[in-house]
Amino acid sequence: MGMRKVWNGAGRALVVAGIVAGPLFAADGKLPNILIIYADDFGYGDLSCYNPKSAYETPRLDRMAAEGIRFTDSHSPSTICSPSRYGLFSGQQIYRSTGRGGGAFEGPGGPSYLKPGTLTLGDMLKEKGYRTGIFGKWHVGLTWLDENGERLGGGFENSLKIDYEKSTPLVDGPNARGFDESFVTPNCPTTDPLYVYIENGMVPVPADRRHKRDTLPNPGGKWRWDNDEGWKAPGYEFVKADLMFYDKTKEFITTHRKQHPDQPFFAVFSTQIAHAPVLPAPEFEGSTEAGPRGDFVRELDTLVGRMLDLLEQLGVDDETLVLFNADNGPETLHVVWMREDHEHDASGGWRGVKRDAWEGGHRVPFIARWPGRIPGGQVTDQMINTTDIFATLASVVGYPLPDKAAVDSFDLLPVMIGKQESGKSVRPHLLTQSFRGEFQIRKGKWKYLDHKGSGGNSYDKGELAKYALPEKEPDAPGQLYDLEKDPGETTNLYFKNEAKRKEMQALLKELKESGRSAPTGRVPLGMENIPKLK
């Protein structure tokens, strides 16, 4: 673990392990701008820089990776979206909020997983002087009230019972959780009603009509799948959703630079690509030879490129840290159809898909780019989690994290800037949770699943049945795999390696009972310890 490679323009490794060579000089104390691009249902194999057999190219994200650092052992904290988003914003596994797992919200579902008193990314960065904004999908739960002031539960029909005057400004929306500006949807923008926009805690146009899916395009006769007919606001946009979220992010950054040029910004561009339904904007139809989903991913790739170009146009490229990550692996039928129609594996060769505890459900891309501070051309196999973004950003801005905050977050900054000791893993272990909240734990090459089966999807029938693998230990209540020898998770060693299994079980028990998986007393590096590249 911990291998680092630096590549030259010819694609040859110049440095393996250790600190990256190159002309450095003392850092100044100016805090960087920070931009997180958070993709949805986006698999390890969905970028061509991760998947040499990809059915399409992702040139801008590939270039972003070449100009920064690409992580090949990166994981989402959960195999579905809402718990993973809680992990992003809190630096914690979902069971810290719920005591168990966490589902994805529909209708007026809530309250927020981000409970009052939880330190969020937005809170932390505001304390350090940032202006903060989020644009796109929120989906960590919201509190909605009816005419009697009673909190509504989830469910599509409850959408019509919302009293917007009593419900807004939302008590647990983004603006109450550390963001100065926000334009978001409460749930999945094109799948899970309530279909409304929330702007700075308010709902400009309430939902008053039923959405009909046959009003939308149906590319290929099937890619409109999973578009629910719940309640929506008039003028709600499905096909051009991410173009709108991009425009809102661009407006926030551009306006901020004009009005507050000496203040750093923190922005989250939270896309709905490549979540179902697959509805590429018209300008991207036919942009690849990999069908509608290939076009959809190309749309995201292009928007990432436009965002990077914007930073350059504004003159802040070198002083902006950009992170690209995803909330979980690719959707079930998306994987099946892309394999069958285009020989493209969105899971990137790993077993499993969205909802599954196997690697394909939670091993996702993670790229970091900061031209002024992160040397380009790096590829690392450091084992990391989305929750680690929190401690990493705290380390960048010099924020000493309280032990009670971001309790599952490890600092990745030393890896990014070449200060991590060669061969030493930042994380001694890794926790993830599957669809039903069941636990998986990694330690080096070993992975233990504290449950039978996938932890998510059924492989007994339907489209996934063809990908079912024979269970070699059908009586085992859990699963133990050596990922170094068996990356496909095909041979369960639960009984054959009893000592390792008991060790992993004991570690999982310890981490759950201790109330944290990250170390205490975390000390940030701060800008004064981040070498500046010439």
Side-chain angles (χ1 to χ4, degrees), residues 43-44 72-76 79 328-330 347-354 356-364 383 430 432 440-442 445-449 454 481 483 486-489:
Y44 185 91
T72 61
D73 199 355
S74 166
H75 301 265
S76 59
T79 62
N328 49 249
S347 293
W350 301 102
R351 184 183 185 186
V353 294
K354 177 182 179 179
D356 292 342
W358 298 314
E359 290 292 287
H362 53 82
R363 190 179 286 235
V364 293
M383 180 177 65
L430 168 77
T432 55
Q440 305 81 47
I441 186 167
R442 273 273 305 281
K445 68 178 185 176
W446 292 100
K447 178 178 179 181
Y448 173 69
L449 294 76
S454 73
Y481 297 108
L483 292 182
D486 181 25
E489 297 171 279

Short mmCIF file of all heavy atoms in Angstrom, two decimals, residues 43-44 72-76 79 328-330 347-354 356-364 383 430 432 440-442 445-449 454 481 483 486-489:
data_model
loop_
_atom_site.label_atom_id
_atom_site.label_comp_id
_atom_site.label_asym_id
_atom_site.label_seq_id
_atom_site.Cartn_x
_atom_site.Cartn_y
_atom_site.Cartn_z
N GLY A 43 -19.42 4.70 -11.65
CA GLY A 43 -18.59 3.55 -11.34
C GLY A 43 -17.11 3.76 -11.55
O GLY A 43 -16.67 4.70 -12.23
N TYR A 44 -16.33 2.85 -10.99
CA TYR A 44 -14.88 2.86 -11.13
C TYR A 44 -14.47 2.79 -12.60
O TYR A 44 -13.46 3.37 -13.00
CB TYR A 44 -14.30 1.67 -10.36
CG TYR A 44 -12.79 1.62 -10.31
CD1 TYR A 44 -12.11 2.22 -9.25
CD2 TYR A 44 -12.06 0.96 -11.28
CE1 TYR A 44 -10.72 2.17 -9.17
CE2 TYR A 44 -10.67 0.90 -11.21
CZ TYR A 44 -10.00 1.51 -10.17
OH TYR A 44 -8.64 1.45 -10.10
N THR A 72 -6.64 4.91 -6.80
CA THR A 72 -7.19 3.68 -7.37
C THR A 72 -7.85 2.77 -6.34
O THR A 72 -8.40 1.74 -6.70
CB THR A 72 -6.08 2.88 -8.09
OG1 THR A 72 -5.07 2.52 -7.14
CG2 THR A 72 -5.46 3.69 -9.21
N ASP A 73 -7.77 3.15 -5.06
CA ASP A 73 -8.40 2.35 -3.99
C ASP A 73 -9.27 3.28 -3.15
O ASP A 73 -9.16 3.35 -1.93
CB ASP A 73 -7.33 1.68 -3.13
CG ASP A 73 -7.87 0.49 -2.32
OD1 ASP A 73 -9.09 0.26 -2.35
OD2 ASP A 73 -7.06 -0.17 -1.65
N SER A 74 -10.16 4.00 -3.84
CA SER A 74 -11.04 4.99 -3.23
C SER A 74 -12.45 4.42 -3.07
O SER A 74 -12.95 3.75 -3.98
CB SER A 74 -11.07 6.25 -4.09
OG SER A 74 -12.13 7.09 -3.73
N HIS A 75 -13.12 4.75 -1.96
CA HIS A 75 -14.41 4.14 -1.65
C HIS A 75 -15.42 5.17 -1.16
O HIS A 75 -15.06 6.15 -0.48
CB HIS A 75 -14.22 3.06 -0.59
CG HIS A 75 -13.28 1.98 -1.02
ND1 HIS A 75 -13.72 0.81 -1.60
CD2 HIS A 75 -11.93 1.93 -1.03
CE1 HIS A 75 -12.66 0.07 -1.91
NE2 HIS A 75 -11.56 0.73 -1.58
N SER A 76 -16.67 4.94 -1.52
CA SER A 76 -17.76 5.71 -0.94
C SER A 76 -18.11 5.09 0.41
O SER A 76 -17.96 3.88 0.61
CB SER A 76 -18.97 5.70 -1.86
OG SER A 76 -19.42 4.38 -2.12
N THR A 79 -23.19 2.34 -0.14
CA THR A 79 -23.44 1.92 -1.52
C THR A 79 -24.72 2.54 -2.08
O THR A 79 -25.17 2.14 -3.15
CB THR A 79 -23.52 0.38 -1.61
OG1 THR A 79 -24.61 -0.09 -0.81
CG2 THR A 79 -22.23 -0.25 -1.11
N ASN A 328 -21.43 6.42 -5.00
CA ASN A 328 -21.48 4.96 -4.96
C ASN A 328 -21.25 4.42 -6.36
O ASN A 328 -21.08 5.19 -7.31
CB ASN A 328 -22.82 4.44 -4.40
CG ASN A 328 -24.05 5.06 -5.01
OD1 ASN A 328 -24.77 5.81 -4.36
ND2 ASN A 328 -24.32 4.78 -6.28
N GLY A 329 -21.27 3.11 -6.50
CA GLY A 329 -21.05 2.50 -7.80
C GLY A 329 -22.23 2.66 -8.74
O GLY A 329 -23.26 3.26 -8.40
N PRO A 330 -22.12 2.11 -9.96
CA PRO A 330 -23.12 2.32 -11.00
C PRO A 330 -24.39 1.52 -10.80
O PRO A 330 -24.38 0.45 -10.17
CB PRO A 330 -22.39 1.87 -12.27
CG PRO A 330 -21.42 0.83 -11.79
CD PRO A 330 -20.98 1.30 -10.43
N SER A 347 -18.51 -0.96 -13.72
CA SER A 347 -17.91 -1.34 -12.45
C SER A 347 -16.39 -1.52 -12.55
O SER A 347 -15.72 -1.78 -11.54
CB SER A 347 -18.54 -2.64 -11.92
OG SER A 347 -19.89 -2.44 -11.58
N GLY A 348 -15.86 -1.43 -13.74
CA GLY A 348 -14.41 -1.48 -13.92
C GLY A 348 -13.78 -2.82 -13.58
O GLY A 348 -12.62 -2.88 -13.18
N GLY A 349 -14.54 -3.91 -13.75
CA GLY A 349 -13.99 -5.23 -13.48
C GLY A 349 -14.22 -5.73 -12.06
O GLY A 349 -13.95 -6.90 -11.77
N TRP A 350 -14.73 -4.89 -11.18
CA TRP A 350 -14.99 -5.31 -9.81
C TRP A 350 -16.34 -6.00 -9.70
O TRP A 350 -17.26 -5.71 -10.47
CB TRP A 350 -14.94 -4.10 -8.88
CG TRP A 350 -13.63 -3.39 -8.91
CD1 TRP A 350 -13.34 -2.22 -9.57
CD2 TRP A 350 -12.41 -3.80 -8.29
NE1 TRP A 350 -12.03 -1.89 -9.40
CE2 TRP A 350 -11.43 -2.84 -8.60
CE3 TRP A 350 -12.06 -4.89 -7.49
CZ2 TRP A 350 -10.12 -2.93 -8.15
CZ3 TRP A 350 -10.76 -4.98 -7.05
CH2 TRP A 350 -9.80 -4.01 -7.37
N ARG A 351 -16.47 -6.89 -8.76
CA ARG A 351 -17.74 -7.57 -8.53
C ARG A 351 -18.72 -6.61 -7.85
O ARG A 351 -18.36 -5.89 -6.92
CB ARG A 351 -17.54 -8.79 -7.65
CG ARG A 351 -18.81 -9.62 -7.43
CD ARG A 351 -18.57 -10.78 -6.49
NE ARG A 351 -19.76 -11.62 -6.38
CZ ARG A 351 -19.89 -12.64 -5.54
NH1 ARG A 351 -18.88 -12.96 -4.72
NH2 ARG A 351 -21.00 -13.36 -5.50
N GLY A 352 -19.97 -6.62 -8.32
CA GLY A 352 -21.00 -5.83 -7.67
C GLY A 352 -21.28 -4.51 -8.35
O GLY A 352 -20.52 -4.02 -9.21
N VAL A 353 -22.42 -3.91 -7.95
CA VAL A 353 -22.90 -2.64 -8.48
C VAL A 353 -23.49 -1.84 -7.33
O VAL A 353 -23.36 -2.22 -6.17
CB VAL A 353 -23.96 -2.88 -9.58
CG1 VAL A 353 -23.35 -3.57 -10.79
CG2 VAL A 353 -25.13 -3.71 -9.06
N LYS A 354 -24.11 -0.73 -7.64
CA LYS A 354 -24.79 0.09 -6.63
C LYS A 354 -25.62 -0.80 -5.69
O LYS A 354 -26.28 -1.73 -6.13
CB LYS A 354 -25.69 1.11 -7.32
CG LYS A 354 -26.51 1.99 -6.39
CD LYS A 354 -27.39 2.93 -7.17
CE LYS A 354 -28.25 3.79 -6.26
NZ LYS A 354 -29.11 4.74 -6.99
N ASP A 356 -24.58 -2.96 -3.58
CA ASP A 356 -23.82 -4.15 -3.16
C ASP A 356 -22.62 -3.77 -2.30
O ASP A 356 -21.98 -2.74 -2.51
CB ASP A 356 -23.31 -4.91 -4.38
CG ASP A 356 -24.42 -5.56 -5.18
OD1 ASP A 356 -25.53 -5.73 -4.64
OD2 ASP A 356 -24.16 -5.91 -6.35
N ALA A 357 -22.28 -4.68 -1.38
CA ALA A 357 -21.11 -4.49 -0.53
C ALA A 357 -19.82 -4.95 -1.19
O ALA A 357 -18.72 -4.66 -0.69
CB ALA A 357 -21.30 -5.23 0.79
N TRP A 358 -19.92 -5.70 -2.28
CA TRP A 358 -18.72 -6.05 -3.04
C TRP A 358 -18.12 -4.78 -3.65
O TRP A 358 -18.78 -3.73 -3.73
CB TRP A 358 -19.06 -7.09 -4.10
CG TRP A 358 -19.59 -8.37 -3.51
CD1 TRP A 358 -19.07 -9.07 -2.46
CD2 TRP A 358 -20.76 -9.09 -3.94
NE1 TRP A 358 -19.84 -10.19 -2.21
CE2 TRP A 358 -20.88 -10.23 -3.09
CE3 TRP A 358 -21.70 -8.90 -4.94
CZ2 TRP A 358 -21.91 -11.17 -3.23
CZ3 TRP A 358 -22.74 -9.82 -5.09
CH2 TRP A 358 -22.83 -10.94 -4.24
N GLU A 359 -16.89 -4.87 -4.10
CA GLU A 359 -16.13 -3.69 -4.48
C GLU A 359 -16.83 -2.79 -5.49
O GLU A 359 -16.75 -1.56 -5.41
CB GLU A 359 -14.76 -4.09 -5.03
CG GLU A 359 -13.81 -4.66 -4.00
CD GLU A 359 -13.37 -3.63 -2.98
OE1 GLU A 359 -12.55 -2.75 -3.33
OE2 GLU A 359 -13.83 -3.71 -1.82
N GLY A 360 -17.53 -3.36 -6.45
CA GLY A 360 -18.19 -2.55 -7.47
C GLY A 360 -19.25 -1.63 -6.93
O GLY A 360 -19.63 -0.67 -7.59
N GLY A 361 -19.74 -1.90 -5.72
CA GLY A 361 -20.77 -1.05 -5.12
C GLY A 361 -20.24 0.20 -4.48
O GLY A 361 -20.98 1.17 -4.29
N HIS A 362 -18.94 0.19 -4.12
CA HIS A 362 -18.41 1.35 -3.39
C HIS A 362 -17.00 1.78 -3.80
O HIS A 362 -16.50 2.79 -3.29
CB HIS A 362 -18.44 1.10 -1.88
CG HIS A 362 -17.78 -0.17 -1.45
ND1 HIS A 362 -16.43 -0.28 -1.26
CD2 HIS A 362 -18.31 -1.40 -1.16
CE1 HIS A 362 -16.15 -1.52 -0.87
NE2 HIS A 362 -17.27 -2.23 -0.81
N ARG A 363 -16.34 1.06 -4.69
CA ARG A 363 -15.03 1.53 -5.18
C ARG A 363 -15.30 2.50 -6.32
O ARG A 363 -15.86 2.13 -7.36
CB ARG A 363 -14.15 0.38 -5.64
CG ARG A 363 -12.71 0.83 -5.92
CD ARG A 363 -11.81 -0.30 -6.36
NE ARG A 363 -11.44 -1.20 -5.29
CZ ARG A 363 -10.18 -1.52 -4.96
NH1 ARG A 363 -9.17 -0.95 -5.62
NH2 ARG A 363 -9.93 -2.37 -4.01
N VAL A 364 -14.90 3.75 -6.15
CA VAL A 364 -15.28 4.83 -7.07
C VAL A 364 -14.06 5.69 -7.41
O VAL A 364 -13.04 5.66 -6.71
CB VAL A 364 -16.38 5.72 -6.44
CG1 VAL A 364 -17.68 4.94 -6.29
CG2 VAL A 364 -15.93 6.30 -5.10
N MET A 383 -5.54 3.46 0.28
CA MET A 383 -6.93 3.10 0.59
C MET A 383 -7.61 4.29 1.27
O MET A 383 -7.18 4.73 2.34
CB MET A 383 -6.95 1.87 1.50
CG MET A 383 -8.32 1.40 1.89
SD MET A 383 -8.21 -0.11 2.89
CE MET A 383 -7.38 0.47 4.38
N LEU A 430 -10.60 0.47 6.98
CA LEU A 430 -11.62 1.21 6.23
C LEU A 430 -12.99 0.60 6.51
O LEU A 430 -13.19 -0.61 6.36
CB LEU A 430 -11.33 1.13 4.72
CG LEU A 430 -12.44 1.60 3.78
CD1 LEU A 430 -12.47 3.13 3.73
CD2 LEU A 430 -12.23 1.05 2.37
N THR A 432 -17.05 0.57 5.46
CA THR A 432 -18.10 0.94 4.53
C THR A 432 -19.40 0.28 4.98
O THR A 432 -19.38 -0.64 5.81
CB THR A 432 -17.78 0.51 3.08
OG1 THR A 432 -17.51 -0.90 3.05
CG2 THR A 432 -16.58 1.27 2.54
N GLN A 440 -18.87 -3.54 6.24
CA GLN A 440 -17.71 -4.18 5.64
C GLN A 440 -16.47 -3.47 6.21
O GLN A 440 -16.51 -2.27 6.49
CB GLN A 440 -17.70 -4.05 4.11
CG GLN A 440 -18.97 -4.56 3.44
CD GLN A 440 -20.09 -3.55 3.48
OE1 GLN A 440 -19.88 -2.37 3.17
NE2 GLN A 440 -21.29 -3.97 3.86
N ILE A 441 -15.41 -4.21 6.39
CA ILE A 441 -14.19 -3.62 6.90
C ILE A 441 -13.00 -4.13 6.12
O ILE A 441 -12.91 -5.31 5.79
CB ILE A 441 -14.02 -3.88 8.42
CG1 ILE A 441 -12.81 -3.12 8.96
CG2 ILE A 441 -13.93 -5.37 8.73
CD1 ILE A 441 -12.75 -3.06 10.47
N ARG A 442 -12.09 -3.22 5.79
CA ARG A 442 -10.84 -3.54 5.10
C ARG A 442 -9.67 -3.31 6.05
O ARG A 442 -9.65 -2.36 6.84
CB ARG A 442 -10.64 -2.62 3.90
CG ARG A 442 -11.27 -3.08 2.60
CD ARG A 442 -10.41 -4.00 1.77
NE ARG A 442 -9.09 -3.51 1.46
CZ ARG A 442 -8.81 -2.63 0.49
NH1 ARG A 442 -9.76 -2.11 -0.25
NH2 ARG A 442 -7.56 -2.26 0.27
N LYS A 445 -4.92 -5.92 2.57
CA LYS A 445 -5.50 -6.70 1.47
C LYS A 445 -6.74 -7.46 1.90
O LYS A 445 -7.43 -8.05 1.07
CB LYS A 445 -4.46 -7.68 0.93
CG LYS A 445 -4.08 -8.80 1.91
CD LYS A 445 -3.09 -9.76 1.27
CE LYS A 445 -2.78 -10.94 2.20
NZ LYS A 445 -1.88 -11.93 1.55
N TRP A 446 -7.04 -7.46 3.20
CA TRP A 446 -8.14 -8.27 3.71
C TRP A 446 -9.44 -7.47 3.80
O TRP A 446 -9.45 -6.32 4.23
CB TRP A 446 -7.79 -8.84 5.08
CG TRP A 446 -6.69 -9.85 5.02
CD1 TRP A 446 -5.37 -9.65 5.30
CD2 TRP A 446 -6.82 -11.21 4.61
NE1 TRP A 446 -4.66 -10.81 5.09
CE2 TRP A 446 -5.52 -11.78 4.68
CE3 TRP A 446 -7.89 -12.01 4.20
CZ2 TRP A 446 -5.28 -13.12 4.33
CZ3 TRP A 446 -7.65 -13.32 3.86
CH2 TRP A 446 -6.37 -13.87 3.93
N LYS A 447 -10.52 -8.12 3.39
CA LYS A 447 -11.84 -7.50 3.45
C LYS A 447 -12.82 -8.48 4.10
O LYS A 447 -12.92 -9.64 3.69
CB LYS A 447 -12.33 -7.13 2.05
CG LYS A 447 -13.73 -6.52 2.02
CD LYS A 447 -14.15 -6.13 0.61
CE LYS A 447 -15.54 -5.56 0.57
NZ LYS A 447 -15.96 -5.21 -0.81
N TYR A 448 -13.49 -7.99 5.12
CA TYR A 448 -14.49 -8.80 5.82
C TYR A 448 -15.87 -8.16 5.66
O TYR A 448 -16.04 -6.96 5.91
CB TYR A 448 -14.15 -8.93 7.31
CG TYR A 448 -15.23 -9.62 8.10
CD1 TYR A 448 -15.50 -10.97 7.93
CD2 TYR A 448 -16.02 -8.90 9.00
CE1 TYR A 448 -16.51 -11.60 8.65
CE2 TYR A 448 -17.03 -9.52 9.72
CZ TYR A 448 -17.27 -10.87 9.55
OH TYR A 448 -18.28 -11.49 10.24
N LEU A 449 -16.85 -8.95 5.23
CA LEU A 449 -18.23 -8.51 5.10
C LEU A 449 -19.03 -9.17 6.21
O LEU A 449 -19.09 -10.41 6.29
CB LEU A 449 -18.82 -8.88 3.74
CG LEU A 449 -18.23 -8.19 2.50
CD1 LEU A 449 -16.88 -8.79 2.12
CD2 LEU A 449 -19.19 -8.29 1.32
N SER A 454 -24.81 -10.14 -1.14
CA SER A 454 -24.36 -8.86 -1.68
C SER A 454 -24.51 -7.70 -0.71
O SER A 454 -23.83 -6.69 -0.86
CB SER A 454 -25.16 -8.54 -2.95
OG SER A 454 -26.49 -8.16 -2.62
N TYR A 481 -12.32 -12.08 2.26
CA TYR A 481 -11.62 -12.17 0.98
C TYR A 481 -10.21 -11.59 1.09
O TYR A 481 -9.98 -10.60 1.81
CB TYR A 481 -12.38 -11.41 -0.11
CG TYR A 481 -13.76 -11.95 -0.38
CD1 TYR A 481 -14.90 -11.25 0.02
CD2 TYR A 481 -13.94 -13.18 -1.03
CE1 TYR A 481 -16.17 -11.73 -0.22
CE2 TYR A 481 -15.22 -13.67 -1.27
CZ TYR A 481 -16.33 -12.96 -0.87
OH TYR A 481 -17.58 -13.44 -1.09
N LEU A 483 -8.10 -9.63 -1.15
CA LEU A 483 -8.25 -8.86 -2.39
C LEU A 483 -7.00 -8.86 -3.24
O LEU A 483 -7.08 -8.62 -4.45
CB LEU A 483 -8.67 -7.42 -2.08
CG LEU A 483 -10.07 -7.22 -1.49
CD1 LEU A 483 -10.35 -5.74 -1.30
CD2 LEU A 483 -11.14 -7.86 -2.37
N ASP A 486 -7.46 -12.37 -4.73
CA ASP A 486 -8.82 -12.61 -5.21
C ASP A 486 -9.59 -11.29 -5.31
O ASP A 486 -10.54 -11.05 -4.59
CB ASP A 486 -9.51 -13.56 -4.22
CG ASP A 486 -10.95 -13.91 -4.62
OD1 ASP A 486 -11.27 -13.84 -5.83
OD2 ASP A 486 -11.74 -14.23 -3.71
N PRO A 487 -9.17 -10.40 -6.22
CA PRO A 487 -9.84 -9.10 -6.33
C PRO A 487 -11.31 -9.21 -6.74
O PRO A 487 -12.08 -8.28 -6.50
CB PRO A 487 -9.02 -8.36 -7.38
CG PRO A 487 -8.35 -9.43 -8.18
CD PRO A 487 -8.07 -10.53 -7.20
N GLY A 488 -11.68 -10.32 -7.36
CA GLY A 488 -13.06 -10.51 -7.77
C GLY A 488 -13.98 -11.01 -6.68
O GLY A 488 -15.18 -11.22 -6.92
N GLU A 489 -13.45 -11.21 -5.47
CA GLU A 489 -14.25 -11.66 -4.32
C GLU A 489 -15.05 -12.93 -4.67
O GLU A 489 -16.26 -13.01 -4.49
CB GLU A 489 -15.18 -10.55 -3.84
CG GLU A 489 -14.43 -9.33 -3.33
CD GLU A 489 -15.30 -8.13 -3.04
OE1 GLU A 489 -15.63 -7.41 -4.02
OE2 GLU A 489 -15.67 -7.91 -1.88
#
